Amino acid sequence: MADTLQQLLDSPPARAVITRLGVPEATPLRRYEPGQPLLDGPALVGGGGRLRAAAERILADAGAEIRDAEAGGQGALVFDASDLASPADLRRLYEFFHPVLRRLRPSGRVVVLGAPPEGGAAVAQRALEGFVRSLAKELRRGATAQLVRVAEGAEDDLDATLRFVLSARSAYVDAQTVCVGPGESTAPDDWERPLAGRVAVVTGASRGIGAAIAETLARDGAEVVCLDVPVQGAALARVANDVGGSALQLDVTAVDAADSLRSHLLERHGGVDVVVHNAGITRDRTLARMSEAEWDVLMAVNLAAPQRLTEALLEGDALRAGGRVVCVSSMSGIAGNRGQVNYAASKAGIIGLVQALAPVLAPTRTINAVAPGFIETEMTAAMPFFTREAGRRMNSLAQGGRPVDVAETIAWMASPASGGVNGNVVRVCGQNLLGA
Ligand code: NAP
């Protein structure tokens, strides 16, 4: 969908008026294309904790250049803060970032590596979160900042996550804290096709974010089963065809949906490796005006179905060892939203599902969630102009995200190399101001 305000900003007279009104201007984000280098400039690495060597190895493996501060034009600033243990130690953040921040290139990356905030270092490690969230708000021109907490013993599980947060795949992910624990990660033979040989099922795949997820997982090598309601059969067949996958017409709320899905996956594919619960609906109305039907149907699609389908795929091990479940939550489920008590409850419930099942699935399988913010889809295109513009601009990147931004985040969580990423909820919202 065209970004009306950006079009106006591109015309000099309109731009003068609009910028005087204080409307933030969006920088086009660097997005991933196959074959693209990891970074758009050399990386500067600092800090002296247990993660620095792993970070330097991962950067080198990915073909990134590591240079000192004098070089300028940095594509990424990576600081290992895992050894910071006291308030006084936090000064090292200032000392590393202050002299070099202005040299960060457009769509550059700031990554702070930390430890879980526990024990004697809890104060300093928890402080990293405030530092990263605020720094993300100061960065300009599409640059982002993330905190990656790595548990003791999980140093070898960092590869997929560090590559993701550094790369253009994380274009619309900003100011997030990702936790990496010890898991069973398998480095792919080819980082451009980490899902080769894997079977994925994506619900709600006929359009919007679901279609982008199917495309992205297929690009990364997966054989994708595209699932949607029978009424979307024609669009679903087109998506399945485009991604070289198969179409499965199924209403996820049907009484026999869980059995049908499990039998289909076992009979046709011998099981499944990646399950993406994307199908979701809205029935927006304030609670006092909401009908019982609007409450019931929404809970059935958005919350009861993902829970039932996941449980059914776990029974009988249809979800194979190394399996990945990824749920689509929403910023509304974190921040709440007027007129969306049903939707926000369902999307917060999804986070509960992830947190409850993560320890059950560990260490061989994982479950995580993405929580999208304002994503440019048919749904957001239908919003009134001013609501849409406000939603689009109220984030640190001053623009809406694209379905592919959600899909790239899901593809990272689905990777066999992401075995240490379990129980995370990652917002794909450009650091939206709501519930931040
Ligand atoms: P969308 O365009 O409405 O697509 C959702 C798809 O799911 C549709 O094809 C829909 O079919 C299908 N679906 C609905 N009920 C189903 C059922 N019972 N069984 C199987 N499929 C069903 O939605 P979207 O905007 O791409 O959003 C995808 C997900 O992201 C949703 O979970 C949504 O809550 C979440 N999300 C979106 C945004 C955003 O900005 N767009 C923000 C935060 C979160 P019908 O249309 O025929 O019902």
Side-chain angles (χ1 to χ4, degrees), residues 172 209 372-381 400-406 428-429:
Y172 201 60
I209 294 172
F374 186 98
I375 304 297
E376 307 279 3
T377 59
E378 284 174 30
M379 186 180 88
T380 49
R402 296 184 190 164
V404 71
D405 299 325
V406 180
V428 185
C429 67

Side-chain angles (χ1 to χ4, degrees), residues 355-369:
Q355 290 170 342
L357 285 182
V360 177
L361 269 65
T364 59
R365 299 176 285 195
T366 67
I367 180 167
N368 294 282

Side-chain angles (χ1 to χ4, degrees), residues 206-207 228-236 249-251:
S206 72
R207 64 162 191 256
D228 213 306
V229 281
V231 70
Q232 299 294 352
L236 183 67
Q249 296 185 10
L250 185 70
D251 180 338

